[in-house]
Amino acid sequence: MKKRVILMGPPGGGKGTQASLLKEAMEVPHISTGDMLRAARKAGTELGKKADAYIVAGQLVPDELVNGIVAERLSSETRGFLLDGYPRTVAQADSLEASGQVVDAVVLIEVPDELIVDRIVGRRSCPKCGSVFHLSTLPPKVDGVCDACGGELIQRGDDCEDVVKQRLTTYHDQTQPLIEYYSSRGLLYRVNGNNEVSAVFAEIRKVLEF
Ligand code: AMP
């Protein structure tokens, strides 16, 4: 099984949902820089304060802030990893490579732009455990309540339409160059993200060989 994995794709493309399923099946940690930054914001740390304005505007937090937290999180990790939302720039990918981390696969979950806004605006997430739901495609069993831990589901502040459009632009400009970066290293696997959650999961399992 390929256990050192980067999940890539547009915002709202299903990376978080797939990561939640994969981490159970693969027994590897789900490392989401978005979740880490939101936790830092909530805790009011220096990092959280610095990240705040970028997140609210749908822009990327500067590389040097993110590279440090990921390198530290991975340095003690031996089980493998599911990186969700990192790297997002070529400079971040270079930093990951320079830190000596070996990557087995980069799974690109592809979803056309015109479907993204609906997918994100209907999204609800659990701030306690990070599980992600969708009002129409993946509703929780009980309205507003997390299936996994019973936490109260919320809509993220940056999941509104105008910020989503900025996040998509940011993705095209700064993250898409990583497609070429990882395909030139023979690590890129494309998966159709415009499908049922279970079908996307099955496709990823095939790629990761389990
Ligand atoms: P996400 O939950 O992955 O959609 O991330 C939410 C927001 O956190 C993004 O719109 C960025 O502002 C910030 N963020 C998350 N990961 C990164 C990263 N690798 N580099 C820079 N900013 C990030």
Side-chain angles (χ1 to χ4, degrees):
M1 186 198 296
K2 297 186 195 312
K3 285 199 152 198
R4 293 166 295 190
V5 176
I6 294 170
L7 292 175
M8 234 192 105
K15 298 185 298 293
T17 303
Q18 293 300 327
S20 299
L21 298 170
L22 289 163
K23 75 171 177 196
E24 301 294 333
M26 297 168 68
E27 297 180 344
V28 299
H30 169 197
I31 300 174
S32 154
T33 44
D35 286 349
M36 288 161 111
L37 293 169
R38 279 184 289 277
R41 263 170 108 197
K42 208 170 158 191
T45 64
E46 272 310 301
L47 170 68
K49 285 181 198 149
K50 285 181 188 158
D52 190 61
Y54 298 98
I55 295 175
V56 170
Q59 285 162 0
L60 294 185
V61 172
D63 292 329
E64 58 276 15
L65 294 181
V66 187
N67 287 336
I69 56 170
V70 175
E72 191 185 319
R73 175 66 186 79
L74 288 180
S75 63
S76 57
E77 194 50 71
T78 53
R79 295 166 291 176
F81 50 78
L82 278 165
L83 278 175
D84 161 11
Y86 182 92
R88 257 177 158 102
T89 64
V90 169
Q92 291 178 15
D94 282 340
S95 166
L96 182 68
E97 202 169 71
S99 73
Q101 289 293 343
V102 175
V103 172
D104 300 319
V106 177
V107 178
L108 173 64
I109 304 176
E110 295 186 294
V111 177
D113 274 13
E114 53 275 21
L115 300 181
I116 293 294
V117 175
D118 280 351
R119 286 179 62 139
I120 296 196
V121 172
R123 188 156 77 170
R124 298 292 180 273
S125 49
C126 176
K128 261 170 80 185
C129 75
S131 295
V132 182
F133 301 86
H134 190 280
L135 294 181
S136 51
T137 58
L138 189 68
K141 292 193 183 87
V142 179
D143 233 15
V145 179
C146 176
D147 289 358
C149 77
E152 191 184 339
L153 299 179
I154 56 151
Q155 180 176 31
R156 276 168 45 179
D158 60 344
D159 276 357
C160 58
E161 189 163 340
D162 46 344
V163 182
V164 170
K165 287 185 174 150
Q166 178 54 52
R167 286 163 65 198
L168 258 180
T169 303
T170 304
Y171 175 75
H172 291 307
D173 292 349
Q174 300 189 58
T175 306
Q176 269 191 333
L178 291 179
I179 296 174
E180 174 53 30
Y181 185 99
Y182 286 117
S183 72
S184 72
R185 285 160 174 74
L187 292 173
L188 192 86
Y189 299 87
R190 292 172 187 268
V191 163
N192 176 14
N194 183 19
N195 219 333
E196 299 284 325
V197 169
S198 58
V200 179
F201 183 61
E203 220 184 308
I204 296 176
R205 283 183 73 145
K206 230 184 269 169
V207 165
L208 300 183
E209 299 170 0
F210 73 96

